[in-house]
Amino acid sequence: MEGRRDRAVVVESVQRQARSVLAVRQRPLAGIEAPGVVSALRFAARSAFAATVSPHPPSRVERQQRMSDTEAASVLQSAIAALRPHPTVTIDDTGVRRGFQTAAQDQKLIEGVLALAVVEFLTGPLASRLRSCQAPRCVRYFVQDHGRQQWCKTSCGNRARAARFADQRRD
């Protein structure tokens, strides 16, 4: 249950951040036309996460294969550049807000918002608390709630303790 709640919080946070950073049209998107580009964005994002968690270890996936830092930055930058964002400032009774507007639609909008959300997160205040889960068979990254947290969720902690116990019993 805790893992679902954590994922829902992360998804809600990314959606809220994307809405606040980019004024997106309130119409349904036509869908993803080129899943290969989204996969490249995901690979670039995970590589950027691995660079951010350093000197802590990256996730098991990025230990095996990782995009170079320059290439990851280039992929993210080109997706954001395709948005052609225009900065906006709004002043009202609630205060001053900044945002961006774009004419990008469908595929370019999806790619750009994803890349922009990744860059905003990795340059924001939570980036210094980003860690990779070190539990067996887990490839997730998480934001550390406290200094001793090692796993993304309780079940990963249980799996790690069970694996450690099994290793001790074998010896």
Side-chain angles (χ1 to χ4, degrees), residues 101-159:
Q101 289 183 331
T102 182
Q105 295 181 9
D106 301 327
Q107 182 72 22
K108 294 296 179 189
L109 183 63
I110 293 168
E111 295 165 7
V113 169
L114 285 171
L116 194 56
V118 167
V119 171
E120 284 289 317
F121 174 76
L122 292 178
T123 58
L126 296 177
S128 63
R129 295 181 13 219
L130 183 68
R131 300 288 183 271
S132 64
C133 184
Q134 296 301 305
R137 299 184 316 274
C138 187
V139 296
R140 292 188 182 111
Y141 286 92
F142 66 97
V143 175
Q144 202 174 31
D145 290 331
H146 55 81
R148 294 183 60 195
Q149 184 178 0
Q150 299 176 32
W151 306 293
C152 63
K153 56 187 184 172
T154 308
S155 61
C156 281
N158 292 340
R159 193 168 50 249

Side-chain angles (χ1 to χ4, degrees), residues 53-70:
V53 299
S54 183
H56 301 284
S59 107
R60 286 164 173 45
V61 172
E62 283 75 38
R63 284 185 217 155
Q64 296 169 1
Q65 184 179 9
R66 184 172 146 191
M67 195 179 276
S68 73
D69 293 345
T70 306

Side-chain angles (χ1 to χ4, degrees), residues 2-171:
E2 185 177 313
R4 288 185 193 152
R5 188 188 76 224
D6 290 345
R7 282 191 292 276
V9 168
V10 169
V11 168
E12 181 182 318
S13 172
V14 168
Q15 288 172 341
R16 187 174 46 249
Q17 188 174 19
R19 280 192 301 268
S20 71
V21 171
L22 187 63
V24 179
R25 298 174 198 223
Q26 297 298 318
R27 67 174 187 81
L29 296 171
I32 297 176
E33 299 160 9
V37 176
V38 176
S39 293
L41 275 172
R42 181 177 185 267
F43 191 39
R46 289 190 62 89
S47 296
F49 284 6
T52 302
V53 299
S54 183
H56 301 284
S59 107
R60 286 164 173 45
V61 172
E62 283 75 38
R63 284 185 217 155
Q64 296 169 1
Q65 184 179 9
R66 184 172 146 191
M67 195 179 276
S68 73
D69 293 345
T70 306
E71 188 179 359
S74 175
V75 168
L76 293 170
Q77 179 62 41
S78 64
I80 293 169
L83 282 176
R84 294 190 178 122
H86 304 285
T88 61
V89 176
T90 306
I91 303 173
D92 58 19
D93 296 340
T94 61
V96 179
R97 290 187 308 263
R98 71 173 176 92
F100 294 99
Q101 289 183 331
T102 182
Q105 295 181 9
D106 301 327
Q107 182 72 22
K108 294 296 179 189
L109 183 63
I110 293 168
E111 295 165 7
V113 169
L114 285 171
L116 194 56
V118 167
V119 171
E120 284 289 317
F121 174 76
L122 292 178
T123 58
L126 296 177
S128 63
R129 295 181 13 219
L130 183 68
R131 300 288 183 271
S132 64
C133 184
Q134 296 301 305
R137 299 184 316 274
C138 187
V139 296
R140 292 188 182 111
Y141 286 92
F142 66 97
V143 175
Q144 202 174 31
D145 290 331
H146 55 81
R148 294 183 60 195
Q149 184 178 0
Q150 299 176 32
W151 306 293
C152 63
K153 56 187 184 172
T154 308
S155 61
C156 281
N158 292 340
R159 193 168 50 249
R161 285 187 286 277
R164 187 172 57 232
F165 179 76
D167 287 344
Q168 290 171 350
R169 299 286 288 179
R170 274 187 237 140
D171 294 338

